[in-house]
Amino acid sequence: MLSQLRRIVQDVAQEPALDNALAGLVSSIKTALATECCSVYLADYQQQHFMLMATDGLNQDAVGKVAIGFSEGLIGWVGQREEPINLAQAHRHPRFRVTPEVSEDRFSAFLGCPIIHHRKVLGVLTIQQSAERVFSEDEESFLVTLGAQLASVLANAEMRDAASQSPSTMAKSGQLSGLPGAPGMAIGEAYVLQPSSDFDAISLKKSDEPEKELALFYRAVKITKAEFNRLAERMAGHIPADALAIFDVYHQLLDAASLGQEIELQIAEGWCAKSALKRVVEKFARQFDDMDDPYLRERGTDIRDLGQRVLNNLLDSEQRKVKLPQQVVLVADNVTATMLAEVPREQLVAIVSLRGSVNSHAAIMARALGIPAVMGVNELPLLHWQNQQVIVDGYEGHILLSPVEAICAEYRRLINEDAELSARYQQEVALPSQSACGKPFKLMVNCGLAIELETSNAEYTDGVGLYRTEFPFIMRNRFPTEQEQVELYQKVLSGYADKAVVMRTLDVGGDKALPYFSIIEENPFLGWRGIRLTLDHPEIFLVQIRAMLKANIGLDNLHILLPMISDLAEVDEAIRLIRQASFEVSDELNIALPKPKIGVMIEVPSIMYQLPELAARVDFCSVGTNDLTQYLLAVDRNNARVANLYDALHPSVLRALHQLSEQARQLQFPISICGELGGEPAGVLVLAAMGYSRFSMNNSNLAKIKWLLRRVKVAELEAILPDVLACQSPKQVKQLVQRFLEQKQLLSQLRA
Ligand code: PEP
Ligand code: MG
């Protein structure tokens, strides 16, 4: 059953035309369930009806013509109830509607199952039979499972169909929705970067230049064979000789007499090289998948691995051919720091990440660079984006593909308005950071990504509240040496001489992966990350601390911050290692070193309850609201599927933050905010109302936040605090802050 299911879903995913995919789908289901009829209806939300798209059993002439209203008949009922309906005598059911065009009189039994993607009903699958019987539980669960798996494939297929239409049609239908990742709007050309290729992302395409495609394929095979030779040489002596034989097998498979020949035939039939490769690899891999012998089944994996390598090399040559547009909208499955580094800053106008959400690091990086970003736009496969003109609206999380000129003109007007507002904030950037009633605030910057950019406002800030040291680690292909780190840290410390610079020790793991130190875990956010990893690797931790201490000589503005602390023993061990590094450096250079202040990040809920013990051990703490929200709400900050649940303005998060500020005040324990919440207008107002006065944020937000704080009085904020804390949902909190801003006539000036 499982392999049948898998095959049906794969067949649909592989077929380039939606009509053909659905026609194949209904026939496969009919055969798999040995039933008499299977049909699929797709929802049309503009027309408010389900259209019969394919059938094997009903009248073929009705396909594409029979539409059933959302509130009509059994199909409409399945859609409304969003659950399967299983009836022995469908025609007796009060919701049954006679539709003569489909000729279904001979059928009695009916099982309808909704196809739902992201809570939206995309369509209905039905099976019918003449016998008066209720379909079995097995049949029902087969259809439900299939419906669930098909949902994302169909969502993709629909977008694929839309994308292949003319640009003017796309202007009407080509709006994609994602999640707002970084504010701002931009117009540019999509430039797709892929870290590694994925067969799922390849949509099948024909080409009318078979010779060119064949040449591309031969070239990719040549490179792949050379790679295998290198790999085999490197492995020789490390793995048994018989295991090395796999490379010979790969060579043979690529030869003209084997898979190679099949691929050449597909190219001759008109498929482009990538499509030919995908079709052949998937066909053979599936044949092996279905074999009973476990050894032979494994060969399916080998074929996929081999295909993947050839595909990488095919895409590589393709990517090299693509010229970087003037205004780059960087599109990737998951945007990484290294990808950002590949595009010159002056050409990069926006970022679109198919995966991730508002608080994943791609979004944080975009905000740090002041570039609009939309996250989690996974409806359209990666390769469909290449070279399309794109409008990115990072406020709303919308994308417009190939928009008409009138829409572009409207967005250009909005972009200009935005620039005027930014200029207005910038005019006050040199004025003191204080409220309208004179209460001083400390506004610091979060940095680590592009030091030149991040020191540009240095004189108007109160220093660096969070230097994320992992970004320089991520950009390399090995751990940076102690000397490389010293030079890097010196730039930051001297860029902010006389101001505090809070440097966080390496915080990798979770969604921050080092390309050269892979951590594969089932649940990485609850796993080996931050301080847990570095305490297990004192050789990494000590080198980093030594580099920080050396860079601090003569400047004395270093503060060290420990990430992901969940237990006091971790603090004690980290302090011990910092002391050890300090002795070593002092000994090596024969000088007395300045003693940096040490702080702890409050981002794991457990440590919130040990604040007195923490205050007795370290000099300060800094609240990482990004992770604290993720851990308090049990919502992965990187997962677009649950992004609607991730909200730092959730009443529980706000109550936790209030409790923290109260306790820190009683303990006289210096506390600051370095998560994204402190750089957002609603967030900073609520936090200031709680008594927080030190905020570290992206450079691009600082002028706006200063402008805002200078226009409110602390007493006004304190007055709304009880109502904020009594809110029952993030939405209520936002409405409350919005009302406050409206009353103060500030709302319209906060964004375009
Ligand atoms: C946080 O978790 O709020 C934080 C500032 O750290 P990061 O986003 O780097 O995990
Ligand atoms: Mg964090």
Side-chain angles (χ1 to χ4, degrees):
M1 236 13 174
L2 196 62
S3 64
Q4 272 174 321
L5 251 170
R6 200 177 333 136
R7 182 170 315 162
I8 293 174
V9 176
Q10 279 171 349
D11 283 345
V12 175
Q14 245 199 326
E15 180 52 58
L18 183 60
D19 294 355
N20 292 347
L22 297 178
L25 168 76
V26 289
S27 298
S28 309
I29 298 177
K30 186 178 149 186
T31 313
L33 293 179
T35 181
E36 291 162 40
C37 175
C38 176
S39 315
V40 60
Y41 298 78
L42 289 191
D44 180 334
Y45 278 85
Q46 257 172 2
Q47 304 291 333
Q48 293 282 300
H49 65 211
F50 290 103
M51 174 64 77
L52 176 66
M53 297 297 289
T55 183
D56 188 344
L58 298 181
N59 179 10
Q60 282 301 330
D61 293 342
V63 170
K65 295 194 189 105
V66 165
I68 298 177
F70 279 170
S71 52
E72 285 177 359
L74 291 176
I75 303 299
W77 203 42
V78 174
Q80 276 174 335
R81 288 184 32 150
E82 302 184 343
E83 61 180 344
I85 291 172
N86 190 350
L87 305 167
Q89 295 175 312
H91 48 280
R92 292 259 172 101
H93 193 276
R95 285 294 297 259
F96 182 78
R97 194 195 88 164
V98 183
T99 315
E101 303 92 312
V102 298
S103 320
E104 60 183 339
D105 309 349
R106 65 202 158 97
F107 299 125
S108 185
F110 170 95
L111 170 60
C113 170
I115 304 169
I116 302 179
H117 182 65
H118 288 318
R119 296 191 182 178
K120 186 173 172 192
V121 178
L122 296 186
V124 175
L125 267 176
T126 63
I127 52 173
Q128 290 170 275
Q129 221 163 10
S130 43
E132 283 187 12
R133 68 165 184 112
V134 172
F135 284 98
S136 71
E137 279 190 10
D138 276 353
E139 288 163 323
E140 189 173 322
S141 67
F142 182 90
L143 212 60
V144 169
T145 315
L146 196 61
Q149 293 194 7
L150 275 175
S152 59
V153 175
L154 282 185
N156 269 340
E158 284 195 318
M159 275 318 296
R160 227 162 48 203
D161 258 26
S164 61
Q165 293 165 14
S166 71
S168 57
T169 326
M170 280 304 298
K172 290 185 212 108
S173 64
Q175 175 164 328
L176 298 174
S177 289
L179 303 160
M185 289 166 283
I187 305 178
E189 193 179 311
Y191 178 71
V192 174
L193 274 181
Q194 2 204 10
S196 65
S197 42
D198 178 358
F199 275 116
D200 288 344
I202 304 284
S203 54
L204 296 178
K205 275 202 200 123
K206 295 262 184 175
S207 155
D208 39 19
E209 296 177 287
E211 295 82 20
K212 205 177 99 200
E213 296 297 325
L214 207 56
L216 279 176
F217 173 64
Y218 287 149
R219 187 181 166 281
V221 167
K222 200 170 151 198
I223 302 174
T224 312
K225 283 189 168 183
E227 270 173 19
F228 286 144
N229 291 343
R230 268 200 309 280
L231 279 174
E233 266 171 40
R234 203 181 304 154
M235 301 279 215
H238 299 289
I239 60 173
D242 55 348
L244 274 177
I246 187 70
F247 293 114
D248 292 334
V249 176
Y250 281 0
H251 265 283
Q252 284 159 16
L253 279 172
L254 284 175
D255 282 341
S258 184
L259 289 185
Q261 189 185 31
E262 287 275 337
I263 295 165
E264 285 169 24
L265 278 175
Q266 295 278 336
I267 293 176
E269 273 178 29
W271 292 104
C272 72
K274 279 179 311 205
S275 304
L277 177 71
K278 174 174 168 148
R279 286 170 68 89
V280 172
V281 165
E282 291 194 340
K283 178 176 139 198
F284 282 93
R286 261 184 283 150
Q287 280 177 6
F288 280 108
D289 286 347
D290 289 345
M291 289 186 179
D292 290 332
D293 181 289
Y295 173 80
L296 289 176
R297 248 198 332 262
E298 267 306 296
R299 304 291 65 83
T301 313
D302 291 343
I303 289 185
R304 284 202 181 85
D305 178 33
L306 175 70
Q308 191 73 47
R309 284 175 177 278
V310 180
L311 182 64
N312 284 345
N313 291 323
L314 263 177
L315 292 172
D316 234 28
S317 55
E318 209 168 69
Q319 220 155 55
R320 248 176 267 130
K321 273 191 305 185
V322 180
K323 210 170 139 265
L324 206 61
Q326 265 315 315
Q327 312 262 287
V328 176
V329 174
L330 175 62
V331 184
D333 186 45
N334 208 350
V335 175
T336 61
T338 31
M339 287 177 177
L340 288 180
E342 277 186 45
V343 183
R345 175 64 191 87
E346 53 296 352
Q347 275 170 267
L348 185 62
V349 298
I351 290 169
V352 176
S353 192
L354 270 51
R355 284 197 283 143
S357 86
V358 62
N359 274 299
S360 39
H361 280 91
I364 292 179
M365 289 187 291
R367 290 197 287 271
L369 293 170
I371 294 171
V374 176
M375 314 293 295
V377 200
N378 57 7
E379 273 122 305
L380 192 61
L382 202 51
L383 287 176
H384 283 281
W385 290 83
Q386 193 69 285
N387 300 122
Q388 298 233 35
Q389 203 197 10
V390 187
I391 293 178
V392 178
D393 182 343
Y395 291 114
E396 300 292 335
H398 290 159
I399 309 276
L400 289 154
L401 286 164
S402 304
V404 289
E405 178 46 34
I407 296 183
C408 289
E410 176 60 11
Y411 269 90
R412 266 185 233 115
R413 189 184 65 74
L414 292 171
I415 291 169
N416 284 340
E417 261 180 36
D418 237 18
E420 278 165 26
L421 278 179
S422 300
R424 195 177 302 170
Y425 306 144
Q426 205 59 33
Q427 276 170 5
E428 296 190 11
V429 76
L431 298 179
S433 308
Q434 59 182 37
S435 66
C437 55
K439 175 178 171 170
F441 289 99
K442 288 239 181 285
L443 300 188
M444 299 159 285
V445 288
N446 288 351
C447 60
L449 198 60
I451 201 61
E452 292 75 19
L453 198 85
E454 292 157 343
T455 46
S456 65
N457 261 347
E459 56 185 305
Y460 311 124
T461 73
D462 295 298
V464 175
L466 172 65
Y467 177 73
R468 289 183 168 99
T469 56
E470 52 278 3
F471 287 140
F473 278 68
I474 291 171
M475 300 294 211
R476 289 181 162 70
N477 52 15
R478 55 167 174 77
F479 284 106
T481 63
E482 184 172 314
Q483 188 49 32
E484 281 170 336
Q485 291 188 55
V486 173
E487 284 162 24
L488 199 66
Y489 303 154
Q490 245 162 7
K491 272 196 200 147
V492 191
L493 293 171
S494 56
Y496 285 86
D498 301 327
K499 291 180 179 167
V501 173
V502 179
M503 286 197 172
R504 182 170 74 182
T505 63
L506 191 63
D507 182 24
V508 290
D511 65 334
K512 288 177 271 190
L514 294 180
Y516 46 91
F517 189 78
S518 90
I519 305 165
I520 300 187
E521 292 183 321
E522 291 243 331
N523 206 341
F525 281 107
L526 298 186
W528 204 42
R529 58 169 299 203
I531 199 78
R532 301 171 182 181
L533 185 149
T534 48
L535 288 183
D536 283 350
H537 277 282
E539 77 284 14
I540 299 173
F541 189 77
L542 284 168
V543 168
Q544 183 171 45
I545 301 291
R546 286 166 52 92
M548 287 181 182
L549 294 171
K550 285 185 178 174
N552 190 35
I553 296 170
L555 289 162
D556 195 12
N557 55 346
L558 169 72
H559 292 48
I560 297 177
L561 182 61
L562 307 171
M564 274 297 289
I565 294 285
S566 58
D567 186 270
L568 293 172
E570 291 165 339
V571 183
D572 294 337
E573 179 60 4
I575 293 174
R576 188 187 71 74
L577 288 171
I578 293 172
R579 281 207 192 108
Q580 178 183 326
S582 185
F583 282 132
E584 286 168 10
V585 174
S586 188
D587 209 34
E588 181 188 324
L589 304 178
N590 203 16
I591 50 168
L593 289 179
K595 205 164 160 258
K597 288 203 160 71
I598 300 176
V600 159
M601 282 201 73
I602 311 279
E603 50 186 349
V604 180
S606 63
I607 210 67
M608 276 176 39
Y609 301 97
Q610 291 185 301
L611 218 57
E613 292 84 348
L614 214 51
R617 284 169 164 80
V618 294
D619 305 299
F620 68 99
C621 67
S622 185
V623 189
T625 52
N626 310 337
D627 275 317
L628 189 62
T629 304
Q630 140 164 287
Y631 293 124
L632 275 174
L633 303 181
V635 179
D636 177 347
R637 64 195 257 188
N638 206 33
N639 184 342
R641 264 197 212 153
V642 287
N644 59 326
L645 298 174
Y646 183 101
D647 202 324
L649 290 173
H650 189 290
S652 306
V653 179
L654 295 186
R655 287 178 200 180
L657 290 169
H658 183 231
Q659 186 188 320
L660 270 172
S661 108
E662 287 292 297
Q663 235 193 332
R665 189 174 49 78
Q666 280 159 20
L667 293 163
Q668 299 191 331
F669 187 29
I671 190 165
S672 58
I673 301 279
C674 67
E676 297 293 302
L677 191 65
E680 290 161 13
V684 81
L685 292 182
V686 168
L687 290 163
M690 293 176 187
Y692 287 96
S693 62
R694 304 165 63 90
F695 305 103
S696 190
M697 64 199 70
N698 295 319
N699 203 8
S700 55
N701 286 341
L702 196 128
K704 175 163 69 180
I705 296 296
K706 185 184 274 193
W707 180 92
L708 175 61
L709 288 173
R710 288 179 53 80
R711 279 162 177 73
V712 293
K713 293 191 183 129
V714 173
E716 293 165 345
L717 293 174
E718 282 171 357
I720 61 165
L721 185 62
D723 289 343
V724 169
L725 293 174
C727 283
Q728 297 190 15
S729 68
K731 193 168 159 203
Q732 275 183 10
V733 177
K734 282 171 207 163
Q735 285 168 344
L736 208 147
V737 176
Q738 210 159 354
R739 271 202 304 279
F740 173 81
L741 288 169
E742 249 160 21
Q743 277 160 12
K744 300 219 36 113
Q745 296 179 338
L746 294 173
L747 193 62
S748 60
Q749 302 181 63
L750 276 171
R751 56 149 301 193

